[in-house]
């Protein structure tokens, strides 16, 4: 399977806080959600790589965000935002002239997100599947979607202060993107089913270990730190 590339865009940042209210700033919330989303994708799916347009509190122009995604040759782009305007509920936007792929992305993402949101008493903000001529949607060359989680300046702010809500919603975003791309779930080998263990020595590479055991390594958190006291469970091929 070809590796699918996911570009997650935490909106705003640096000098641009985005929406503010109730002691919260959009730029911080969307960075948190985007990082949780990346982590969930890496922990639970295989056959993909995922990058953020920013992983710190820095400002990028909208055109730069689109360029980052285009240069990366991403298969999907998701720009995460939090709303303001004293409303309530979740909504998402795709480009005005929505292709079949864009509609599919929006449908699968919104289904996942709203199912999770409803557990917290949060619904859709009117018609949740919206269209807009936004720059990051217009200038990106791959299927792109912009999400507005809920409202920072309404009763929704209580949810935004709930870490479980942020995590669950980030995971729902991740599942939506994974479904859209058809990613396979990573099989995490549990210690009960793992047959063998291998303690990594300095200089080992993952591919060499996999060759040695005639398998692939099911899951490794830290691919760049294979040099000491690292035990890998040798298990089934999951790729
Ligand atoms: Zn925003």
């Amino acid at each position: 399977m070809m590796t699918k590339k996911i570009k997650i865009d935490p909106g705003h940042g640096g000098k641009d806080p985005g929406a503010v209210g109730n002691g919260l700033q959009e730029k911080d919330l969307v960075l948190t959600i985007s990082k949780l989303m990346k982590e969930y994708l890496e922990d639970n799916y295989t056959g993909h790589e995922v990058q953020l347009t920013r992983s710190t509190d820095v400002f990028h122009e909208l055109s730069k965000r689109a360029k980052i995604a285009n240069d990366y040759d991403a298969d999907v782009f998701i720009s995460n935002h939090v709303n303001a305007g004293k409303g309530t509920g979740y909504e998402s936007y795709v480009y005005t002239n929505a292709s079949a792929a864009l509609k599919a992305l929006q449908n699968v993402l919104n289904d996942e997100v709203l199912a999770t949101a409803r557990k917290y008493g949060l619904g859709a903000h009117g018609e949740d599947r919206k269209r807009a001529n936004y720059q990051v949607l217009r200038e990106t060359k791959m299927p792109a979607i912009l999400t507005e989680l809920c409202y920072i300046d309404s009763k929704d702010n209580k949810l935004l202060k709930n870490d479980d809500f942020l995590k669950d919603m980030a995971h729902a975003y991740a599942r939506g993107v994974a479904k859209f791309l058809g990613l396979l779930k990573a099989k995490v080998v549990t210690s009960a089913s793992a047959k063998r263990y291998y303690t990594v020595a300095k200089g080992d590479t993952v591919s060499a270990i996999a060759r040695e055991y005639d398998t692939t390594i099911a899951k490794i958190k830290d691919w760049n730190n294979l040099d000491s006291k690292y035990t890998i469970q040798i298990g089934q091929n999951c790729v």
Side-chain angles (χ1 to χ4, degrees), residues 17-27 29 81-91 122 125 148-161 165:
V20 294
N22 296 297
L24 298 167
Q25 297 192 96
E26 179 182 1
K27 67 175 183 177
L29 293 165
H81 291 257
V82 170
N83 229 330
K86 300 200 167 22
T88 183
Y90 163 85
E91 64 191 10
L122 185 76
H125 180 73
E148 297 278 5
L149 181 59
C150 61
Y151 284 74
I152 206 166
D153 55 353
S154 75
K155 65 180 171 62
D156 289 359
N157 88 87
K158 290 196 178 60
L159 292 173
L160 295 172
K161 290 174 179 170
F165 172 77

PDB file of all heavy atoms in Angstrom, residues 17-27 29 81-91 122 125 148-161 165:
ATOM      1  N   PRO A  17      -3.929  35.087  17.832  1.00  0.00           N
ATOM      2  CA  PRO A  17      -4.513  34.121  18.774  1.00  0.00           C
ATOM      3  C   PRO A  17      -5.772  33.447  18.244  1.00  0.00           C
ATOM      4  O   PRO A  17      -6.216  32.452  18.796  1.00  0.00           O
ATOM      5  CB  PRO A  17      -4.865  34.988  19.988  1.00  0.00           C
ATOM      6  CG  PRO A  17      -5.104  36.347  19.415  1.00  0.00           C
ATOM      7  CD  PRO A  17      -4.170  36.477  18.225  1.00  0.00           C
ATOM      8  N   GLY A  18      -6.341  33.984  17.141  1.00  0.00           N
ATOM      9  CA  GLY A  18      -7.632  33.475  16.692  1.00  0.00           C
ATOM     10  C   GLY A  18      -8.724  33.938  17.637  1.00  0.00           C
ATOM     11  O   GLY A  18      -8.626  35.016  18.234  1.00  0.00           O
ATOM     12  N   ALA A  19      -9.739  33.118  17.801  1.00  0.00           N
ATOM     13  CA  ALA A  19     -10.836  33.474  18.701  1.00  0.00           C
ATOM     14  C   ALA A  19     -10.355  33.417  20.155  1.00  0.00           C
ATOM     15  O   ALA A  19      -9.546  32.564  20.514  1.00  0.00           O
ATOM     16  CB  ALA A  19     -11.997  32.508  18.498  1.00  0.00           C
ATOM     17  N   VAL A  20     -10.842  34.356  20.945  1.00  0.00           N
ATOM     18  CA  VAL A  20     -10.503  34.355  22.371  1.00  0.00           C
ATOM     19  C   VAL A  20     -11.781  34.507  23.190  1.00  0.00           C
ATOM     20  O   VAL A  20     -12.751  35.113  22.745  1.00  0.00           O
ATOM     21  CB  VAL A  20      -9.506  35.482  22.744  1.00  0.00           C
ATOM     22  CG1 VAL A  20      -8.156  35.241  22.096  1.00  0.00           C
ATOM     23  CG2 VAL A  20     -10.057  36.844  22.335  1.00  0.00           C
ATOM     24  N   GLY A  21     -11.759  33.961  24.396  1.00  0.00           N
ATOM     25  CA  GLY A  21     -12.916  34.099  25.273  1.00  0.00           C
ATOM     26  C   GLY A  21     -12.808  33.165  26.447  1.00  0.00           C
ATOM     27  O   GLY A  21     -12.206  32.096  26.355  1.00  0.00           O
ATOM     28  N   ASN A  22     -13.357  33.607  27.551  1.00  0.00           N
ATOM     29  CA  ASN A  22     -13.394  32.772  28.760  1.00  0.00           C
ATOM     30  C   ASN A  22     -12.013  32.245  29.161  1.00  0.00           C
ATOM     31  O   ASN A  22     -11.880  31.112  29.639  1.00  0.00           O
ATOM     32  CB  ASN A  22     -14.361  31.612  28.565  1.00  0.00           C
ATOM     33  CG  ASN A  22     -15.794  32.094  28.389  1.00  0.00           C
ATOM     34  OD1 ASN A  22     -16.360  32.701  29.298  1.00  0.00           O
ATOM     35  ND2 ASN A  22     -16.374  31.863  27.225  1.00  0.00           N
ATOM     36  N   GLY A  23     -10.999  33.086  28.944  1.00  0.00           N
ATOM     37  CA  GLY A  23      -9.638  32.699  29.334  1.00  0.00           C
ATOM     38  C   GLY A  23      -8.980  31.722  28.381  1.00  0.00           C
ATOM     39  O   GLY A  23      -7.914  31.179  28.676  1.00  0.00           O
ATOM     40  N   LEU A  24      -9.601  31.491  27.251  1.00  0.00           N
ATOM     41  CA  LEU A  24      -9.079  30.528  26.273  1.00  0.00           C
ATOM     42  C   LEU A  24      -8.650  31.237  24.993  1.00  0.00           C
ATOM     43  O   LEU A  24      -9.182  32.282  24.645  1.00  0.00           O
ATOM     44  CB  LEU A  24     -10.173  29.510  25.916  1.00  0.00           C
ATOM     45  CG  LEU A  24     -10.698  28.626  27.035  1.00  0.00           C
ATOM     46  CD1 LEU A  24     -11.981  27.934  26.584  1.00  0.00           C
ATOM     47  CD2 LEU A  24      -9.654  27.608  27.448  1.00  0.00           C
ATOM     48  N   GLN A  25      -7.681  30.642  24.297  1.00  0.00           N
ATOM     49  CA  GLN A  25      -7.262  31.146  22.992  1.00  0.00           C
ATOM     50  C   GLN A  25      -7.354  30.016  21.972  1.00  0.00           C
ATOM     51  O   GLN A  25      -6.854  28.909  22.205  1.00  0.00           O
ATOM     52  CB  GLN A  25      -5.818  31.647  23.049  1.00  0.00           C
ATOM     53  CG  GLN A  25      -5.604  32.813  23.985  1.00  0.00           C
ATOM     54  CD  GLN A  25      -4.229  33.438  23.773  1.00  0.00           C
ATOM     55  OE1 GLN A  25      -4.071  34.408  23.055  1.00  0.00           O
ATOM     56  NE2 GLN A  25      -3.219  32.849  24.394  1.00  0.00           N
ATOM     57  N   GLU A  26      -7.955  30.333  20.841  1.00  0.00           N
ATOM     58  CA  GLU A  26      -8.117  29.330  19.787  1.00  0.00           C
ATOM     59  C   GLU A  26      -6.783  28.690  19.384  1.00  0.00           C
ATOM     60  O   GLU A  26      -6.694  27.481  19.193  1.00  0.00           O
ATOM     61  CB  GLU A  26      -8.779  29.981  18.566  1.00  0.00           C
ATOM     62  CG  GLU A  26      -8.964  29.024  17.393  1.00  0.00           C
ATOM     63  CD  GLU A  26      -9.582  29.705  16.179  1.00  0.00           C
ATOM     64  OE1 GLU A  26      -9.845  30.922  16.245  1.00  0.00           O
ATOM     65  OE2 GLU A  26      -9.791  29.006  15.164  1.00  0.00           O
ATOM     66  N   LYS A  27      -5.732  29.516  19.263  1.00  0.00           N
ATOM     67  CA  LYS A  27      -4.450  28.991  18.767  1.00  0.00           C
ATOM     68  C   LYS A  27      -3.907  27.871  19.659  1.00  0.00           C
ATOM     69  O   LYS A  27      -3.274  26.940  19.168  1.00  0.00           O
ATOM     70  CB  LYS A  27      -3.415  30.112  18.637  1.00  0.00           C
ATOM     71  CG  LYS A  27      -2.966  30.724  19.946  1.00  0.00           C
ATOM     72  CD  LYS A  27      -1.843  31.737  19.736  1.00  0.00           C
ATOM     73  CE  LYS A  27      -1.332  32.291  21.059  1.00  0.00           C
ATOM     74  NZ  LYS A  27      -0.200  33.205  20.881  1.00  0.00           N
ATOM     75  N   LEU A  29      -5.843  25.868  21.740  1.00  0.00           N
ATOM     76  CA  LEU A  29      -6.761  24.724  21.683  1.00  0.00           C
ATOM     77  C   LEU A  29      -6.535  23.889  20.423  1.00  0.00           C
ATOM     78  O   LEU A  29      -6.483  22.658  20.480  1.00  0.00           O
ATOM     79  CB  LEU A  29      -8.212  25.223  21.717  1.00  0.00           C
ATOM     80  CG  LEU A  29      -8.649  25.880  23.025  1.00  0.00           C
ATOM     81  CD1 LEU A  29      -9.944  26.662  22.819  1.00  0.00           C
ATOM     82  CD2 LEU A  29      -8.831  24.833  24.120  1.00  0.00           C
ATOM     83  N   HIS A  81      -9.948  24.541  13.724  1.00  0.00           N
ATOM     84  CA  HIS A  81     -10.294  25.848  14.296  1.00  0.00           C
ATOM     85  C   HIS A  81     -11.324  25.698  15.398  1.00  0.00           C
ATOM     86  O   HIS A  81     -11.963  24.657  15.544  1.00  0.00           O
ATOM     87  CB  HIS A  81     -10.856  26.767  13.201  1.00  0.00           C
ATOM     88  CG  HIS A  81      -9.818  27.171  12.206  1.00  0.00           C
ATOM     89  ND1 HIS A  81      -9.223  28.401  12.208  1.00  0.00           N
ATOM     90  CD2 HIS A  81      -9.230  26.454  11.203  1.00  0.00           C
ATOM     91  CE1 HIS A  81      -8.316  28.450  11.233  1.00  0.00           C
ATOM     92  NE2 HIS A  81      -8.302  27.282  10.608  1.00  0.00           N
ATOM     93  N   VAL A  82     -11.454  26.805  16.159  1.00  0.00           N
ATOM     94  CA  VAL A  82     -12.511  26.928  17.170  1.00  0.00           C
ATOM     95  C   VAL A  82     -13.267  28.208  16.835  1.00  0.00           C
ATOM     96  O   VAL A  82     -12.663  29.215  16.461  1.00  0.00           O
ATOM     97  CB  VAL A  82     -11.902  26.980  18.592  1.00  0.00           C
ATOM     98  CG1 VAL A  82     -12.950  27.358  19.618  1.00  0.00           C
ATOM     99  CG2 VAL A  82     -11.273  25.630  18.941  1.00  0.00           C
ATOM    100  N   ASN A  83     -14.571  28.168  16.981  1.00  0.00           N
ATOM    101  CA  ASN A  83     -15.423  29.255  16.531  1.00  0.00           C
ATOM    102  C   ASN A  83     -15.611  30.353  17.570  1.00  0.00           C
ATOM    103  O   ASN A  83     -15.358  30.142  18.757  1.00  0.00           O
ATOM    104  CB  ASN A  83     -16.802  28.685  16.171  1.00  0.00           C
ATOM    105  CG  ASN A  83     -17.283  29.152  14.817  1.00  0.00           C
ATOM    106  OD1 ASN A  83     -16.933  30.242  14.387  1.00  0.00           O
ATOM    107  ND2 ASN A  83     -18.077  28.332  14.172  1.00  0.00           N
ATOM    108  N   ALA A  84     -16.092  31.499  17.112  1.00  0.00           N
ATOM    109  CA  ALA A  84     -16.550  32.568  17.995  1.00  0.00           C
ATOM    110  C   ALA A  84     -17.799  33.175  17.392  1.00  0.00           C
ATOM    111  O   ALA A  84     -18.025  33.073  16.188  1.00  0.00           O
ATOM    112  CB  ALA A  84     -15.475  33.629  18.156  1.00  0.00           C
ATOM    113  N   GLY A  85     -18.604  33.821  18.218  1.00  0.00           N
ATOM    114  CA  GLY A  85     -19.844  34.431  17.741  1.00  0.00           C
ATOM    115  C   GLY A  85     -21.041  34.029  18.576  1.00  0.00           C
ATOM    116  O   GLY A  85     -22.179  34.212  18.165  1.00  0.00           O
ATOM    117  N   LYS A  86     -20.722  33.459  19.740  1.00  0.00           N
ATOM    118  CA  LYS A  86     -21.742  33.143  20.744  1.00  0.00           C
ATOM    119  C   LYS A  86     -22.772  32.107  20.280  1.00  0.00           C
ATOM    120  O   LYS A  86     -23.878  32.033  20.787  1.00  0.00           O
ATOM    121  CB  LYS A  86     -22.448  34.417  21.215  1.00  0.00           C
ATOM    122  CG  LYS A  86     -21.490  35.431  21.844  1.00  0.00           C
ATOM    123  CD  LYS A  86     -22.212  36.417  22.716  1.00  0.00           C
ATOM    124  CE  LYS A  86     -21.358  37.271  23.611  1.00  0.00           C
ATOM    125  NZ  LYS A  86     -19.967  37.479  23.306  1.00  0.00           N
ATOM    126  N   GLY A  87     -22.386  31.277  19.336  1.00  0.00           N
ATOM    127  CA  GLY A  87     -23.256  30.186  18.922  1.00  0.00           C
ATOM    128  C   GLY A  87     -22.934  28.920  19.695  1.00  0.00           C
ATOM    129  O   GLY A  87     -22.282  28.963  20.743  1.00  0.00           O
ATOM    130  N   THR A  88     -23.368  27.802  19.156  1.00  0.00           N
ATOM    131  CA  THR A  88     -23.003  26.513  19.744  1.00  0.00           C
ATOM    132  C   THR A  88     -22.941  25.467  18.643  1.00  0.00           C
ATOM    133  O   THR A  88     -23.648  25.563  17.643  1.00  0.00           O
ATOM    134  CB  THR A  88     -23.995  26.083  20.842  1.00  0.00           C
ATOM    135  OG1 THR A  88     -23.540  24.847  21.414  1.00  0.00           O
ATOM    136  CG2 THR A  88     -25.399  25.879  20.285  1.00  0.00           C
ATOM    137  N   GLY A  89     -22.077  24.478  18.842  1.00  0.00           N
ATOM    138  CA  GLY A  89     -22.054  23.341  17.942  1.00  0.00           C
ATOM    139  C   GLY A  89     -20.858  23.293  17.010  1.00  0.00           C
ATOM    140  O   GLY A  89     -20.091  24.241  16.867  1.00  0.00           O
ATOM    141  N   TYR A  90     -20.748  22.121  16.380  1.00  0.00           N
ATOM    142  CA  TYR A  90     -19.652  21.808  15.450  1.00  0.00           C
ATOM    143  C   TYR A  90     -20.079  22.067  14.012  1.00  0.00           C
ATOM    144  O   TYR A  90     -21.249  21.885  13.663  1.00  0.00           O
ATOM    145  CB  TYR A  90     -19.275  20.327  15.610  1.00  0.00           C
ATOM    146  CG  TYR A  90     -18.472  19.764  14.466  1.00  0.00           C
ATOM    147  CD1 TYR A  90     -17.091  19.916  14.436  1.00  0.00           C
ATOM    148  CD2 TYR A  90     -19.090  19.079  13.418  1.00  0.00           C
ATOM    149  CE1 TYR A  90     -16.342  19.400  13.384  1.00  0.00           C
ATOM    150  CE2 TYR A  90     -18.352  18.561  12.369  1.00  0.00           C
ATOM    151  CZ  TYR A  90     -16.980  18.726  12.351  1.00  0.00           C
ATOM    152  OH  TYR A  90     -16.242  18.212  11.309  1.00  0.00           O
ATOM    153  N   GLU A  91     -19.123  22.460  13.184  1.00  0.00           N
ATOM    154  CA  GLU A  91     -19.382  22.549  11.746  1.00  0.00           C
ATOM    155  C   GLU A  91     -18.066  22.381  10.994  1.00  0.00           C
ATOM    156  O   GLU A  91     -16.985  22.526  11.577  1.00  0.00           O
ATOM    157  CB  GLU A  91     -20.028  23.892  11.370  1.00  0.00           C
ATOM    158  CG  GLU A  91     -19.135  25.080  11.630  1.00  0.00           C
ATOM    159  CD  GLU A  91     -19.871  26.419  11.517  1.00  0.00           C
ATOM    160  OE1 GLU A  91     -21.106  26.424  11.430  1.00  0.00           O
ATOM    161  OE2 GLU A  91     -19.192  27.455  11.528  1.00  0.00           O
ATOM    162  N   LEU A 122     -23.120  18.034  22.688  1.00  0.00           N
ATOM    163  CA  LEU A 122     -22.838  19.030  21.646  1.00  0.00           C
ATOM    164  C   LEU A 122     -23.364  18.531  20.310  1.00  0.00           C
ATOM    165  O   LEU A 122     -23.122  17.386  19.935  1.00  0.00           O
ATOM    166  CB  LEU A 122     -21.327  19.260  21.542  1.00  0.00           C
ATOM    167  CG  LEU A 122     -20.888  20.374  20.583  1.00  0.00           C
ATOM    168  CD1 LEU A 122     -21.143  21.744  21.206  1.00  0.00           C
ATOM    169  CD2 LEU A 122     -19.403  20.234  20.230  1.00  0.00           C
ATOM    170  N   HIS A 125     -23.766  22.911  14.446  1.00  0.00           N
ATOM    171  CA  HIS A 125     -24.184  24.313  14.357  1.00  0.00           C
ATOM    172  C   HIS A 125     -24.948  24.480  13.047  1.00  0.00           C
ATOM    173  O   HIS A 125     -24.366  24.690  11.991  1.00  0.00           O
ATOM    174  CB  HIS A 125     -22.969  25.243  14.406  1.00  0.00           C
ATOM    175  CG  HIS A 125     -23.346  26.687  14.314  1.00  0.00           C
ATOM    176  ND1 HIS A 125     -23.940  27.360  15.352  1.00  0.00           N
ATOM    177  CD2 HIS A 125     -23.234  27.577  13.303  1.00  0.00           C
ATOM    178  CE1 HIS A 125     -24.173  28.606  14.985  1.00  0.00           C
ATOM    179  NE2 HIS A 125     -23.756  28.764  13.745  1.00  0.00           N
ATOM    180  N   GLU A 148     -14.561  23.611  12.633  1.00  0.00           N
ATOM    181  CA  GLU A 148     -14.812  24.547  13.739  1.00  0.00           C
ATOM    182  C   GLU A 148     -15.411  23.709  14.863  1.00  0.00           C
ATOM    183  O   GLU A 148     -16.562  23.289  14.797  1.00  0.00           O
ATOM    184  CB  GLU A 148     -15.787  25.651  13.311  1.00  0.00           C
ATOM    185  CG  GLU A 148     -15.286  26.559  12.194  1.00  0.00           C
ATOM    186  CD  GLU A 148     -14.362  27.686  12.684  1.00  0.00           C
ATOM    187  OE1 GLU A 148     -14.033  27.717  13.894  1.00  0.00           O
ATOM    188  OE2 GLU A 148     -13.980  28.531  11.850  1.00  0.00           O
ATOM    189  N   LEU A 149     -14.618  23.447  15.869  1.00  0.00           N
ATOM    190  CA  LEU A 149     -14.982  22.475  16.908  1.00  0.00           C
ATOM    191  C   LEU A 149     -16.250  22.870  17.657  1.00  0.00           C
ATOM    192  O   LEU A 149     -17.189  22.094  17.779  1.00  0.00           O
ATOM    193  CB  LEU A 149     -13.815  22.333  17.886  1.00  0.00           C
ATOM    194  CG  LEU A 149     -13.975  21.357  19.027  1.00  0.00           C
ATOM    195  CD1 LEU A 149     -14.223  19.944  18.526  1.00  0.00           C
ATOM    196  CD2 LEU A 149     -12.734  21.378  19.917  1.00  0.00           C
ATOM    197  N   CYS A 150     -16.248  24.065  18.211  1.00  0.00           N
ATOM    198  CA  CYS A 150     -17.421  24.634  18.865  1.00  0.00           C
ATOM    199  C   CYS A 150     -17.061  26.077  19.214  1.00  0.00           C
ATOM    200  O   CYS A 150     -16.059  26.592  18.714  1.00  0.00           O
ATOM    201  CB  CYS A 150     -17.860  23.817  20.084  1.00  0.00           C
ATOM    202  SG  CYS A 150     -16.630  23.703  21.397  1.00  0.00           S
ATOM    203  N   TYR A 151     -17.839  26.729  20.073  1.00  0.00           N
ATOM    204  CA  TYR A 151     -17.683  28.176  20.288  1.00  0.00           C
ATOM    205  C   TYR A 151     -16.947  28.492  21.590  1.00  0.00           C
ATOM    206  O   TYR A 151     -17.306  27.991  22.655  1.00  0.00           O
ATOM    207  CB  TYR A 151     -19.049  28.856  20.265  1.00  0.00           C
ATOM    208  CG  TYR A 151     -19.588  28.983  18.856  1.00  0.00           C
ATOM    209  CD1 TYR A 151     -20.092  27.868  18.184  1.00  0.00           C
ATOM    210  CD2 TYR A 151     -19.550  30.203  18.194  1.00  0.00           C
ATOM    211  CE1 TYR A 151     -20.554  27.974  16.887  1.00  0.00           C
ATOM    212  CE2 TYR A 151     -20.021  30.314  16.894  1.00  0.00           C
ATOM    213  CZ  TYR A 151     -20.521  29.200  16.246  1.00  0.00           C
ATOM    214  OH  TYR A 151     -20.973  29.306  14.960  1.00  0.00           O
ATOM    215  N   ILE A 152     -15.969  29.369  21.455  1.00  0.00           N
ATOM    216  CA  ILE A 152     -15.127  29.727  22.594  1.00  0.00           C
ATOM    217  C   ILE A 152     -15.829  30.728  23.520  1.00  0.00           C
ATOM    218  O   ILE A 152     -15.490  30.834  24.693  1.00  0.00           O
ATOM    219  CB  ILE A 152     -13.775  30.301  22.071  1.00  0.00           C
ATOM    220  CG1 ILE A 152     -12.641  30.110  23.076  1.00  0.00           C
ATOM    221  CG2 ILE A 152     -13.912  31.766  21.644  1.00  0.00           C
ATOM    222  CD1 ILE A 152     -11.254  30.345  22.488  1.00  0.00           C
ATOM    223  N   ASP A 153     -16.819  31.455  22.962  1.00  0.00           N
ATOM    224  CA  ASP A 153     -17.429  32.556  23.719  1.00  0.00           C
ATOM    225  C   ASP A 153     -18.889  32.283  24.065  1.00  0.00           C
ATOM    226  O   ASP A 153     -19.685  33.204  24.191  1.00  0.00           O
ATOM    227  CB  ASP A 153     -17.299  33.867  22.925  1.00  0.00           C
ATOM    228  CG  ASP A 153     -17.895  33.747  21.526  1.00  0.00           C
ATOM    229  OD1 ASP A 153     -18.293  32.621  21.129  1.00  0.00           O
ATOM    230  OD2 ASP A 153     -17.952  34.775  20.825  1.00  0.00           O
ATOM    231  N   SER A 154     -19.223  30.992  24.166  1.00  0.00           N
ATOM    232  CA  SER A 154     -20.580  30.631  24.588  1.00  0.00           C
ATOM    233  C   SER A 154     -20.457  29.552  25.658  1.00  0.00           C
ATOM    234  O   SER A 154     -19.361  29.253  26.122  1.00  0.00           O
ATOM    235  CB  SER A 154     -21.381  30.085  23.396  1.00  0.00           C
ATOM    236  OG  SER A 154     -20.949  28.765  23.083  1.00  0.00           O
ATOM    237  N   LYS A 155     -21.579  28.935  25.983  1.00  0.00           N
ATOM    238  CA  LYS A 155     -21.547  27.854  26.987  1.00  0.00           C
ATOM    239  C   LYS A 155     -20.630  26.702  26.546  1.00  0.00           C
ATOM    240  O   LYS A 155     -20.174  25.920  27.364  1.00  0.00           O
ATOM    241  CB  LYS A 155     -22.955  27.329  27.255  1.00  0.00           C
ATOM    242  CG  LYS A 155     -23.619  26.649  26.059  1.00  0.00           C
ATOM    243  CD  LYS A 155     -25.008  26.152  26.412  1.00  0.00           C
ATOM    244  CE  LYS A 155     -25.795  25.661  25.218  1.00  0.00           C
ATOM    245  NZ  LYS A 155     -25.236  24.522  24.502  1.00  0.00           N
ATOM    246  N   ASP A 156     -20.364  26.619  25.253  1.00  0.00           N
ATOM    247  CA  ASP A 156     -19.448  25.584  24.742  1.00  0.00           C
ATOM    248  C   ASP A 156     -18.072  25.661  25.406  1.00  0.00           C
ATOM    249  O   ASP A 156     -17.316  24.683  25.383  1.00  0.00           O
ATOM    250  CB  ASP A 156     -19.232  25.729  23.222  1.00  0.00           C
ATOM    251  CG  ASP A 156     -20.460  25.336  22.401  1.00  0.00           C
ATOM    252  OD1 ASP A 156     -21.468  24.928  22.998  1.00  0.00           O
ATOM    253  OD2 ASP A 156     -20.386  25.448  21.165  1.00  0.00           O
ATOM    254  N   ASN A 157     -17.734  26.821  25.957  1.00  0.00           N
ATOM    255  CA  ASN A 157     -16.381  26.988  26.519  1.00  0.00           C
ATOM    256  C   ASN A 157     -16.101  25.994  27.638  1.00  0.00           C
ATOM    257  O   ASN A 157     -14.948  25.642  27.870  1.00  0.00           O
ATOM    258  CB  ASN A 157     -16.153  28.437  26.976  1.00  0.00           C
ATOM    259  CG  ASN A 157     -16.600  28.676  28.410  1.00  0.00           C
ATOM    260  OD1 ASN A 157     -15.847  28.466  29.358  1.00  0.00           O
ATOM    261  ND2 ASN A 157     -17.847  29.099  28.580  1.00  0.00           N
ATOM    262  N   LYS A 158     -17.151  25.533  28.297  1.00  0.00           N
ATOM    263  CA  LYS A 158     -16.944  24.535  29.369  1.00  0.00           C
ATOM    264  C   LYS A 158     -16.371  23.242  28.784  1.00  0.00           C
ATOM    265  O   LYS A 158     -15.547  22.578  29.401  1.00  0.00           O
ATOM    266  CB  LYS A 158     -18.259  24.263  30.093  1.00  0.00           C
ATOM    267  CG  LYS A 158     -18.740  25.430  30.940  1.00  0.00           C
ATOM    268  CD  LYS A 158     -19.806  25.003  31.924  1.00  0.00           C
ATOM    269  CE  LYS A 158     -20.235  26.160  32.805  1.00  0.00           C
ATOM    270  NZ  LYS A 158     -20.792  27.293  32.020  1.00  0.00           N
ATOM    271  N   LEU A 159     -16.839  22.893  27.600  1.00  0.00           N
ATOM    272  CA  LEU A 159     -16.290  21.708  26.932  1.00  0.00           C
ATOM    273  C   LEU A 159     -14.823  21.913  26.554  1.00  0.00           C
ATOM    274  O   LEU A 159     -14.006  21.004  26.685  1.00  0.00           O
ATOM    275  CB  LEU A 159     -17.103  21.393  25.670  1.00  0.00           C
ATOM    276  CG  LEU A 159     -18.535  20.906  25.884  1.00  0.00           C
ATOM    277  CD1 LEU A 159     -19.264  20.795  24.561  1.00  0.00           C
ATOM    278  CD2 LEU A 159     -18.543  19.573  26.618  1.00  0.00           C
ATOM    279  N   LEU A 160     -14.516  23.117  26.110  1.00  0.00           N
ATOM    280  CA  LEU A 160     -13.135  23.410  25.685  1.00  0.00           C
ATOM    281  C   LEU A 160     -12.166  23.399  26.861  1.00  0.00           C
ATOM    282  O   LEU A 160     -10.959  23.335  26.669  1.00  0.00           O
ATOM    283  CB  LEU A 160     -13.084  24.755  24.955  1.00  0.00           C
ATOM    284  CG  LEU A 160     -13.859  24.797  23.629  1.00  0.00           C
ATOM    285  CD1 LEU A 160     -13.910  26.212  23.084  1.00  0.00           C
ATOM    286  CD2 LEU A 160     -13.245  23.854  22.605  1.00  0.00           C
ATOM    287  N   LYS A 161     -12.719  23.475  28.079  1.00  0.00           N
ATOM    288  CA  LYS A 161     -11.866  23.382  29.276  1.00  0.00           C
ATOM    289  C   LYS A 161     -11.800  21.951  29.814  1.00  0.00           C
ATOM    290  O   LYS A 161     -11.196  21.704  30.853  1.00  0.00           O
ATOM    291  CB  LYS A 161     -12.401  24.329  30.356  1.00  0.00           C
ATOM    292  CG  LYS A 161     -12.190  25.793  30.000  1.00  0.00           C
ATOM    293  CD  LYS A 161     -12.854  26.735  30.995  1.00  0.00           C
ATOM    294  CE  LYS A 161     -12.595  28.180  30.591  1.00  0.00           C
ATOM    295  NZ  LYS A 161     -13.395  29.138  31.365  1.00  0.00           N
ATOM    296  N   PHE A 165     -12.865  15.926  26.609  1.00  0.00           N
ATOM    297  CA  PHE A 165     -13.581  16.355  25.404  1.00  0.00           C
ATOM    298  C   PHE A 165     -12.597  16.628  24.264  1.00  0.00           C
ATOM    299  O   PHE A 165     -12.774  16.151  23.144  1.00  0.00           O
ATOM    300  CB  PHE A 165     -14.407  17.609  25.699  1.00  0.00           C
ATOM    301  CG  PHE A 165     -15.031  18.237  24.485  1.00  0.00           C
ATOM    302  CD1 PHE A 165     -16.161  17.690  23.894  1.00  0.00           C
ATOM    303  CD2 PHE A 165     -14.483  19.393  23.922  1.00  0.00           C
ATOM    304  CE1 PHE A 165     -16.734  18.273  22.756  1.00  0.00           C
ATOM    305  CE2 PHE A 165     -15.038  19.975  22.790  1.00  0.00           C
ATOM    306  CZ  PHE A 165     -16.173  19.413  22.207  1.00  0.00           C
TER     307      PHE A 165
END
